[in-house]
Amino acid sequence: MKRALHAEWTKARTVPGTGWLLLAVLTLTVLVSALAAGTADCTAAGCRQDVARTALTGIYVGQAVVAVLAVLTISGEYSSGMIRTTLTAVPRRHVVLTAKALVLTGLVLATGAVTVAGCLVTARLLVPISLTDGSVLRAAAGSVLYLALIALLSLGAATAVRDSAAAVAVVLGLLYALPLVAQLVTDQDWQRRLQRVEPMTAGLGVQATVDVGALPLPPWAGLGVLAAWAAAALLGGGLLLRGRDA
């Protein structure tokens, strides 16, 4: 495992696209969050919306870049043919996938922490938000974990389908198309059931700091739904990686 981790870390820091994508996550997320905070409806008496969630709006956009980064972590090797070299150097395929997942998770957690902090500090200049409030800290920590889980979900999907474009389409469809489908459902009970299993809707519930009881699931339970999606994707991708030719 140590050799596999070293190899994956070397790839991550020597491939030019990794740094640019991580920078894009940071820049795009903070920018969108700042724009959202700047348009918040707030007065001296307070705000009419969940300011913490507004301050973290950029996560909706930044997660797409995280998905692309995660997909390229393995699909890029399939497109270049380097996957054969990787699997020759480390024949145990589950070790390869585990090493990729660990390095990717570390990078996204570090970038996510800086990004979320940037969103909240920027928002503090525009809207009244307490950076020491327990619910705000939960929203912040949950958002960082959310990005890491999106990365693992995307890595699993890319391992399963191997093609970059197809994997990105699958992940973005799960994140952005499923909520639209739920909105088209007229039956309120069924709509709520769908919202409970959607990876984005359930997962981003962790950002809520007001009207938490109105969420389809409690904040941490919603993040658990996303974790289940990520685990299922990694398990499925790992089984396919193990059972077929490179």
Side-chain angles (χ1 to χ4, degrees):
M1 175 59 74
K2 184 177 180 180
R3 185 175 65 174
L5 282 171
H6 178 72
E8 295 305 324
W9 171 240
T10 300
K11 293 176 193 175
R13 60 189 178 81
T14 55
V15 174
T18 302
W20 285 111
L21 286 171
L22 291 173
L23 180 61
V25 172
L26 171 61
T27 305
L28 193 59
T29 304
V30 173
L31 177 60
V32 172
S33 293
L35 291 173
T39 58
D41 186 8
C42 296
T43 64
C47 298
R48 295 185 179 180
Q49 65 255 61
D50 187 335
V51 289
R53 203 163 194 173
T54 300
L56 296 169
T57 300
I59 297 293
Y60 284 91
V61 180
Q63 65 179 345
V65 186
V66 170
V68 172
L69 170 66
V71 164
L72 292 177
T73 298
I74 190 164
S75 63
E77 292 195 35
Y78 275 108
S79 61
S80 66
M82 188 178 176
I83 191 67
R84 297 185 182 89
T85 304
T86 297
L87 295 179
T88 299
V90 185
R92 292 183 296 172
R93 299 186 176 198
H94 69 280
V95 173
V96 171
L97 184 58
T98 301
K100 287 183 179 296
L102 290 173
V103 171
L104 176 66
T105 300
L107 288 172
V108 174
L109 284 176
T111 304
V114 175
T115 299
V116 168
C119 290
L120 293 177
V121 170
T122 302
R124 182 67 183 84
L125 302 174
L126 302 169
V127 294
I129 180 174
S130 172
L131 301 184
T132 58
D133 182 78
S135 59
V136 174
L137 292 176
R138 184 253 297 153
S143 295
V144 176
L145 293 175
Y146 176 88
L147 289 176
L149 290 171
I150 290 296
L152 294 176
L153 169 61
S154 305
L155 177 63
T159 306
V161 302
R162 298 192 283 191
D163 179 75
S164 299
V168 170
V170 168
V171 174
L172 296 188
L174 286 173
L175 296 179
Y176 298 112
L178 279 185
L180 294 177
V181 172
Q183 291 300 316
L184 296 175
V185 176
T186 57
D187 186 289
Q188 295 297 315
D189 290 334
W190 273 104
Q191 185 181 86
R192 197 165 181 82
R193 289 189 186 103
L194 288 174
Q195 290 173 340
R196 287 173 177 167
V197 297
E198 294 167 17
M200 185 174 76
T201 303
L204 284 180
V206 77
Q207 293 182 341
T209 61
V210 298
D211 294 329
V212 175
L215 294 172
L217 289 170
W220 290 117
L223 199 64
V225 169
L226 176 58
W229 276 94
L234 284 172
L235 178 60
L239 291 174
L240 289 172
L241 178 64
R242 183 178 179 180
R244 66 191 176 192
D245 295 333

